Amino acid sequence: MRRSVVAGNWKMHGVRADQARLVGALLEGAEDFACDVLVCPPFPYLLEISRQLSGSVWRLGAQDLCADPGPGAFTGEVSGTMLHDVGCTHVLVGHSERRALYAEDDALIARKFQAAQAAGLVPILCVGESLDERERGVTETVVGRQLAAVLDVAGVAALSRAIIAYEPVWAIGTGKTATVEQAQAVHAFIRGRVAVQDAMIARSVRILYGGSVKASNAAELFAQPDIDGGLVGGASLHADEFLKIGAAAP
Ligand code: PGA
């Protein structure tokens, strides 16, 4: 396990040919990254991309999973077991778009976190405040609540097999990046919250920043003491840009 991680969240972009091209370019450009690198394509492409990436440094993640381990009558859902079966090692849990557009609440996200670990996947737990919450000065309250919802159910030890991603909602896909000071402050807050329960896990848990990460701002963000890499949306759809972000991680 490397100290930092750079993960690409492709969201609902591209079709099969686009994805294959992108993966091909990532494989060609791959160097000896100092960080763990992974991509999170849409569900239908996971198996094919898993085969393409096999034997490379790239790991595979999914963007979501069913909160119920299954198997069972859950039409339209995809279980952690299935994701693991097709080669995923990671899965995003509680991305702000899931929280906002699909009404995922803290309780459901905590169940998804546990379902991921039960299936042998590393959950990447996404937390972050909206613009309104930041302006009202409740960033720490919101992020603390999102984190506690998982810790209360899964226990702090579960973080030794998980990654946290801090993504201020107002910085996602907007071109607005949190300043390094703003990001570092929330990362330090998250690590502090974990440290209250377990200092060793707090030191080792990797906390990624997400929200308009690009090649031009990655190095500065990743240089912060509590920022251990990035969860990258838009820029991860461009191989050159994404490779540069990977190369910027310590
Ligand atoms: P962005 O998305 O890099 O396009 O802001 C980040 C994310 O939603 O994970």
Side-chain angles (χ1 to χ4, degrees):
M1 187 174 92
R2 313 277 179 120
R3 180 58 230 170
S4 55
V5 187
V6 168
N9 173 11
W10 294 354
K11 309 192 181 185
M12 199 171 74
H13 289 293
V15 291
R16 197 169 164 218
D18 306 309
Q19 314 263 340
R21 255 196 310 276
L22 181 50
V23 172
L26 291 177
L27 287 172
E28 256 175 51
E31 40 185 294
D32 194 12
F33 294 107
C35 60
D36 287 334
V37 283
L38 69 126
V39 291
C40 304
F43 286 139
Y45 308 114
L46 288 171
L47 178 59
E48 190 168 345
I49 293 176
S50 160
R51 290 182 175 142
Q52 253 184 299
L53 294 180
S54 141
S56 79
V57 297
W58 292 89
R59 305 295 204 85
L60 187 65
Q63 298 173 16
D64 187 28
L65 84 166
C66 181
D68 199 290
F74 300 98
T75 301
E77 290 291 298
V78 178
S79 73
T81 304
M82 292 169 179
L83 296 175
H84 188 265
D85 189 39
V86 298
C88 289
T89 50
H90 295 70
V91 61
L92 305 182
V93 170
H95 189 279
S96 65
E97 286 149 21
R98 303 293 319 168
R99 293 181 191 260
L101 304 175
Y102 302 98
E104 293 196 5
D105 61 14
D106 287 336
L108 179 71
I109 290 160
R111 288 178 59 218
K112 290 190 172 193
F113 181 97
Q114 290 194 290
Q117 290 197 325
L121 299 167
V122 174
I124 301 176
L125 171 67
C126 304
V127 297
E129 82 287 3
S130 65
L131 182 58
D132 172 59
E133 288 161 342
R134 174 158 285 264
E135 285 173 348
R136 283 192 287 118
V138 294
T139 296
E140 293 191 353
T141 312
V142 171
V143 170
R145 189 204 72 222
Q146 291 169 338
L147 186 64
V150 169
L151 291 183
D152 289 351
V153 171
V156 69
L159 287 184
S160 62
R161 291 175 291 124
I163 294 170
I164 298 171
Y166 168 59
E167 298 203 305
V169 177
W170 48 273
I172 295 178
T174 59
K176 280 190 197 165
T177 321
T179 64
V180 287
E181 293 80 15
Q182 284 172 324
Q184 164 57 26
V186 181
H187 281 237
F189 165 77
I190 292 170
R191 205 179 295 284
R193 273 294 164 95
V194 177
V196 170
Q197 298 193 25
D198 191 310
M200 220 160 75
I201 289 179
R203 270 197 299 277
S204 63
V205 69
R206 296 179 296 178
I207 308 174
L208 315 184
Y209 170 79
S212 300
V213 175
K214 343 181 228 294
S216 58
N217 61 22
E220 197 188 9
L221 285 161
F222 300 166
Q224 300 304 305
D226 291 299
I227 301 183
D228 308 310
L231 177 54
V232 187
S236 73
L237 295 167
H238 306 280
D240 284 357
E241 183 82 5
F242 191 44
L243 288 165
K244 281 185 198 147
I245 296 170

